[in-house]
Amino acid sequence: MKFTNGYWLDRPQYEIQSPKEVFDVKQDGDKLTLYAPFKYINERGDELNLGMSTIELTSPMEGVIGVKLIHFDQPEKGPSFELANEHPNVKITTGDKEISYQSGDLAVKAPFKGHFELDFQRNGKTITKSMEKAEGVILDKSTGKTYMREQLSMGVDELIYGLGERFGSIVKNGQSVDIVNKDGGTGSEQAYKNIPFYLSSEGYGVFVDQPETVSFEVASENVDRTQFSIEGQSMQYYVIDGPTPKGVLDKYTRLTGKVSLPPAWTFGLWLSTSFTTDYSEETVLKFIDGMAKRKIPLDVFHFDCFWQKGFEWSTLLWDREKFPDPEGLIKKIHDRGVKVCVWLNPYIAQKSPLFKEGRDNGYLIKRQDGNVWQWDLWQAGNGFVDFTNPAAVKWYQSKLKDLLDMGVDCFKTDFGERIPVEDAVFYDGSDPKREHNYYTYQYNQTVFDIIKQEKGEDQAVVFARSATAGSQKFPVHWGGDCLSRYKSMADSLRGGLSFLLSGFGFWAHDISGFEEQATPDLYKRWTQFGLLSSHSRYHGSGQYKVPWIFDEEAVDNTRKFVNLKLSLMPYIFDEAVNTHETGTPLMRPLFLEYTNDRNTYHLEQQYMLGSKLIVAPVFNAEGDVNYYLPEGNWTNILTEKSYHVEHGQWFSENYDMLNLPVLARDNSIILRHPGAEHAQYDYTDAPDINIYELADGNTATTRVVDEKGKPAGSVKAQRQGNTLTVTSDGLKGTSTVNFHANGEVKTFKLNGGSGNFTL
């Protein structure tokens, strides 16, 4: 939201007041409160008829400082984000000229009775600053509304990332972003997953702890500052010192909730009925058996909306005309080694048997006149489950438990964005403006928790579209309704990378697009991208997405890349465990790994899958791709082509429909298990040990995890001249050692825990 008219003037409808100096200070334990009036106090009369900012400084963990800007100190209605507090040691200094509040290496300093500013320093060096006239209490004279604003300074070449799922440039400089969840597809400024958190290339982050709409102006209204504002009388934010981007994500996810580890089976291929297609038990089994007949491994089958009767979503009851024996069907699918996911949303259509039950028991959001809040968008007479009511949560979970008891393994938690604000009343009295974005947290937590309760914590997973801060605790999320076009494929990747830089670990997208009809070439290229993503699902609207309806090459392509992903699961799941431990996303922009190479800072059409693989999807029918490799020796794991890059280099290449750039980093070990039939298996059972471009005198190591994500062993490789020494711990059987260098592969057998080999 913009308040100024150029650099010198304010827009005429706004009156902006800002702190001039810190006039007084109070310490209460580890909290420091600054009192900053809106003009300089030179005499006692200056203390009359004057507004003031009350600024509270706190620290929930080392290296994180919270700033609460208060105009009028009014009670806040819920909801509020659930944040951790590690109660770190802080150092508070209040001198005659300067006030300092320090947590870890991060300190905020303010002059005492001097020109107001909040100077955030890492080890004595400024990383960002709230300068004079940056913090503002703003009155809209035309409406009477009050806004709180903060502006934090930016460096000359500083770049800003994050703010949730955004489909424009991954670098947010120059953008205006409103943090408000909307159901707008994947090609506009609207987004399903809005996160009031940004990450700076300078190794710090800022989390605005406000669940309502937060308006960001990133080097836009003021090109030297990142600005954020809300409607209200107070605003809380946290500055997070990394000091690296990865370090910021670690602290942010510790603050708002660690990324949960999805079950290993979820990393395999998901196949959907698609949305408006016609499907029944016969169709479903035909698709599953068709995949098996073509030797394409499948891990999850998803039933989209029409597993229920139309006009009754979400009734959470099977359409017995199409599926007369759902228990029997689920058993048949399980007998084929495939899990079952069913679609749901938190909206209850008036025709659904659940509507009267929810209305009569007060389980639905109401209007101020006491009636249920309804409209006809999506389904006729939709009401909304009120998850602020504990009884409504238990009621909704009881319906899901019936499905889990029937054999359903997980749920696709669709929607949750169009939550009413105007004339909306929630059970617990929550502010509808704060509930709008936060609703998705309550919704997905409700579903995630019942799966965890019934299936066990290690089996809990949802497939969610909407999100807010903290929703990383309830994976997995997918990108929403994209078009079946190459441009939309690229938009989806940008949205995913932006989302993953916002504290999330795992992400998927509708392979080949949701809307429109995919062409065979797009299907194949998007399949490659999808199966080299964190999670992989074929889904569409009015088009089935099984490969044989496109052509035989699509079948070959799907088989090849499903098998590739399954073979990589010892590597992928170890990296997924690292995501759970550290907050570093499984799919990540290159700059997270190569912070010293500024050429990587704008890259958004390629990514790293874990710490050791670069993937550059092909976004055209011709097979042309331009991609960048940082300094090092790289090996394409599909073609064995090697690349020796001295200072970072761009490549322009052409690939057939069965290949693309998938490049392994030098001095790395990647465990693979060719022949895997599902995503979950014993990763310690004689995996192939692939060693890439291990330089003379170097050592490479990798952790081995089991299918539950527990540490199970390790592999180490050392090279001295032409001698390669491989040592393993925790592996079973005889492993094949593949040494990749200069486009060639030398193969050895590792019997027992260690072996010496001549290269």
Side-chain angles (χ1 to χ4, degrees):
M1 189 170 183
K2 295 181 172 69
F3 302 101
T4 56
N5 177 17
Y7 203 83
W8 314 114
L9 303 176
D10 299 331
R11 299 192 181 195
Q13 70 267 38
Y14 297 120
E15 177 184 291
I16 304 177
Q17 300 185 89
S18 300
K20 294 299 184 184
E21 65 176 352
V22 176
F23 180 75
D24 199 5
V25 61
K26 182 177 73 173
Q27 182 176 348
D28 181 9
D30 288 342
K31 180 170 75 173
L32 185 65
T33 304
L34 314 180
Y35 298 94
F38 295 151
K39 73 176 185 180
Y40 295 105
I41 307 302
N42 297 312
E43 57 183 46
R44 298 188 74 175
D46 292 335
E47 299 178 25
L48 304 177
N49 304 312
L50 176 65
M52 175 169 61
S53 283
T54 302
I55 303 170
E56 296 178 349
L57 304 178
T58 56
S59 178
M61 64 181 56
E62 189 174 289
V64 179
I65 293 178
V67 180
K68 187 169 187 179
L69 308 174
I70 304 169
H71 180 221
F72 294 154
D73 194 358
Q74 300 174 345
E76 291 179 349
K77 288 186 176 181
S80 298
F81 293 123
E82 299 176 1
L83 304 183
N85 191 338
E86 299 179 1
H87 303 285
N89 293 323
V90 299
K91 181 180 179 182
I92 298 173
T93 305
T94 55
D96 293 337
K97 293 185 178 181
E98 185 180 70
I99 301 156
S100 175
Y101 186 97
Q102 183 166 354
S103 174
D105 293 333
L106 180 66
V108 58
K109 298 185 177 183
F112 185 59
K113 295 187 177 179
H115 293 302
F116 178 83
E117 67 178 24
L118 296 177
D119 186 2
F120 295 91
Q121 300 181 359
R122 175 194 301 136
N123 293 325
K125 182 178 180 180
T126 297
I127 55 174
T128 190
K129 183 184 293 189
S130 174
M131 305 171 76
E132 190 174 12
K133 295 185 178 181
E135 192 261 291
V137 177
I138 303 172
L139 174 65
D140 186 335
K141 293 177 287 188
S142 64
T143 65
K145 294 179 178 179
T146 300
Y147 298 88
M148 301 296 293
R149 181 192 71 186
E150 179 64 288
Q151 296 174 332
L152 297 179
S153 65
M154 298 173 59
V156 171
D157 56 357
E158 183 173 348
L159 303 176
I160 300 298
Y161 306 89
L163 300 177
E165 173 188 55
R166 313 241 72 90
F167 302 106
S169 172
I170 188 175
V171 174
K172 300 301 180 289
N173 296 43
Q175 297 184 30
S176 299
V177 175
D178 285 339
I179 301 298
V180 53
N181 286 355
K182 293 186 177 181
D183 179 359
T186 65
S188 76
E189 63 183 355
Q190 296 181 6
Y192 307 101
K193 311 168 190 66
N194 293 266
I195 315 300
F197 163 77
Y198 67 83
L199 175 65
S200 167
S201 60
E202 297 304 303
Y204 73 90
V206 174
F207 169 51
V208 183
D209 181 18
Q210 301 288 154
E212 67 268 50
T213 299
V214 184
S215 179
F216 284 86
E217 298 292 340
V218 185
S220 49
E221 182 177 6
N222 184 317
V223 299
D224 298 331
R225 302 177 182 179
T226 296
Q227 172 179 300
F228 42 93
S229 60
I230 64 164
E231 180 186 343
Q233 297 286 351
S234 66
M235 179 168 64
Q236 172 81 60
Y237 69 92
Y238 294 88
V239 175
I240 305 169
D241 175 34
T244 65
K246 283 185 178 182
V248 175
L249 292 173
D250 179 35
K251 289 176 182 174
Y252 170 74
T253 53
R254 281 162 49 198
L255 179 66
T256 60
K258 290 184 72 68
V259 179
S260 295
L261 177 67
W265 54 264
T266 67
F267 291 81
L269 179 63
W270 298 47
L271 176 64
S272 166
T273 57
S274 291
F275 172 32
T276 60
T277 52
D278 184 31
Y279 47 89
S280 61
E281 176 172 332
E282 180 184 4
T283 313
V284 169
L285 293 179
K286 181 175 69 175
F287 284 168
I288 294 173
D289 291 341
M291 298 291 275
K293 177 182 177 182
R294 293 165 177 83
K295 295 182 170 52
I296 301 173
L298 183 65
D299 271 289
V300 186
F301 191 86
H302 168 69
F303 292 82
D304 216 56
C305 311
F306 281 98
W307 69 275
Q308 307 162 97
K309 287 187 176 181
F311 288 110
E312 295 187 9
W313 304 335
S314 285
T315 188
L316 304 178
L317 295 172
W318 289 85
D319 180 349
R320 295 282 175 159
E321 294 179 8
K322 293 287 187 179
F323 303 100
D325 179 19
E327 294 93 341
L329 175 57
I330 292 170
K331 184 178 185 304
K332 291 175 184 176
I333 296 173
H334 283 166
D335 288 345
R336 288 162 166 79
V338 178
K339 302 283 188 180
V340 173
C341 173
V342 299
W343 176 96
L344 53 86
N345 73 5
Y347 311 159
I348 309 296
Q350 186 170 288
K351 186 175 180 290
S352 168
L354 298 187
F355 183 85
K356 184 176 185 301
E357 193 175 335
R359 179 194 64 194
D360 293 350
N361 288 284
Y363 298 157
L364 306 178
I365 298 170
K366 296 181 180 179
R367 293 186 182 271
Q368 292 181 6
D369 63 7
N371 288 316
V372 171
W373 205 106
Q374 291 180 263
W375 64 5
D376 288 332
L377 195 60
W378 181 243
Q379 293 275 276
N382 260 345
F384 302 79
V385 177
D386 185 350
F387 293 107
T388 74
N389 183 345
V393 170
K394 292 181 180 179
W395 170 72
Y396 195 75
Q397 287 179 327
S398 72
K399 309 302 179 182
L400 301 182
K401 183 178 183 304
D402 291 342
L403 292 164
L404 295 170
D405 290 344
M406 191 180 289
V408 169
D409 296 287
C410 62
F411 300 102
K412 172 184 170 180
T413 48
D414 207 350
F415 290 79
E417 304 94 0
R418 288 190 173 127
I419 306 307
V421 172
E422 300 300 326
D423 193 25
V425 177
F426 289 82
Y427 172 84
D428 71 348
S430 284
D431 182 347
K433 292 180 181 179
R434 293 168 69 93
E435 263 292 332
H436 176 85
N437 288 342
Y438 194 75
Y439 183 91
T440 179
Y441 183 92
Q442 297 163 324
Y443 163 40
N444 280 288
Q445 182 181 42
T446 294
V447 180
F448 193 87
D449 283 354
I450 189 63
I451 302 173
K452 183 166 63 174
Q453 174 186 307
E454 297 301 312
K455 302 282 188 178
E457 185 171 4
D458 65 340
Q459 294 300 302
V461 67
V462 295
F463 208 84
R465 188 172 76 176
S466 55
T468 189
S471 294
Q472 64 269 11
K473 292 185 284 187
F474 319 122
V476 171
H477 293 81
W478 101 96
D481 298 347
C482 46
L483 303 179
S484 297
R485 305 175 187 178
Y486 283 109
K487 186 64 173 65
S488 191
M489 178 179 162
D491 296 343
S492 293
L493 176 56
R494 285 199 303 273
L497 293 178
S498 180
F499 174 65
L500 291 162
L501 285 174
S502 305
F504 289 77
F506 307 103
W507 173 76
H509 41 94
D510 290 343
I511 297 176
S512 78
F514 178 73
E515 298 287 357
E516 305 175 327
Q517 302 288 306
T519 59
D521 58 284
L522 177 72
Y523 182 89
K524 297 166 200 174
R525 291 306 186 189
W526 207 321
T527 290
Q528 297 170 352
F529 168 38
L531 284 159
L532 289 165
S533 297
S534 154
H535 284 73
S536 312
R537 184 185 69 156
Y538 281 125
H539 183 58
S541 181
Q543 182 184 35
Y544 297 127
K545 292 302 175 81
V546 289
W548 54 88
I549 70 170
F550 293 93
D551 57 34
E552 282 305 308
E553 188 178 53
V555 173
D556 294 339
N557 184 70
T558 299
R559 183 190 305 113
K560 177 174 181 174
F561 286 93
V562 173
N563 285 331
L564 173 64
K565 187 173 190 183
L566 299 187
S567 77
L568 284 167
M569 276 302 297
Y571 163 73
I572 290 173
F573 205 52
D574 173 43
E575 294 283 345
V577 172
N578 179 71
T579 294
H580 163 66
E581 294 168 340
T582 68
T584 300
L586 178 57
M587 291 176 68
R588 63 195 71 160
L590 268 67
F591 83 86
L592 279 187
E593 293 294 330
Y594 292 92
T595 55
N596 293 327
D597 184 349
R598 297 197 69 88
N599 292 312
T600 65
Y601 278 40
H602 289 82
L603 298 179
E604 58 186 20
Q605 293 182 9
Q606 61 186 93
Y607 57 92
M608 297 201 73
L609 182 62
S611 60
K612 301 172 185 176
L613 289 176
I614 284 180
V615 180
V618 179
F619 294 106
N620 55 74
E622 294 75 25
D624 296 327
V625 59
N626 300 309
Y627 64 96
Y628 177 82
L629 291 180
E631 182 176 354
N633 297 313
W634 298 87
T635 304
N636 188 316
I637 67 171
L638 301 177
T639 67
E640 287 299 328
K641 183 177 179 180
S642 62
Y643 301 78
H644 303 289
V645 181
E646 291 188 7
H647 303 294
Q649 185 177 340
W650 281 92
F651 294 86
S652 296
E653 296 177 337
N654 182 271
Y655 286 83
D656 62 37
M657 281 294 177
L658 295 177
N659 289 289
L660 77 162
V662 186
L663 298 127
R665 195 173 186 169
D666 57 11
N667 298 304
S668 66
I669 299 174
I670 296 178
L671 304 183
R672 292 181 61 176
H673 209 302
E677 297 180 354
H678 289 285
Q680 182 169 320
Y681 54 90
D682 185 354
Y683 306 135
T684 70
D685 187 9
D688 286 1
I689 300 170
N690 292 276
I691 304 167
Y692 289 95
E693 294 283 358
L694 184 62
D696 186 11
N698 281 16
T699 299
T701 62
T702 190
R703 177 177 61 177
V704 181
V705 299
D706 65 19
E707 62 268 34
K708 298 295 184 181
K710 305 299 182 184
S714 63
V715 177
K716 180 170 71 172
Q718 296 174 288
R719 181 181 176 184
Q720 293 294 333
N722 290 326
T723 300
L724 175 68
T725 301
V726 179
T727 305
S728 70
D729 173 54
L731 298 187
K732 304 172 185 175
T734 299
S735 288
T736 298
V737 176
N738 298 311
F739 185 82
H740 304 257
N742 299 314
E744 298 181 354
V745 185
K746 295 182 178 179
T747 300
F748 313 95
K749 292 295 182 180
L750 181 65
N751 295 306
S754 64
N756 293 315
F757 311 104
T758 301
L759 299 176

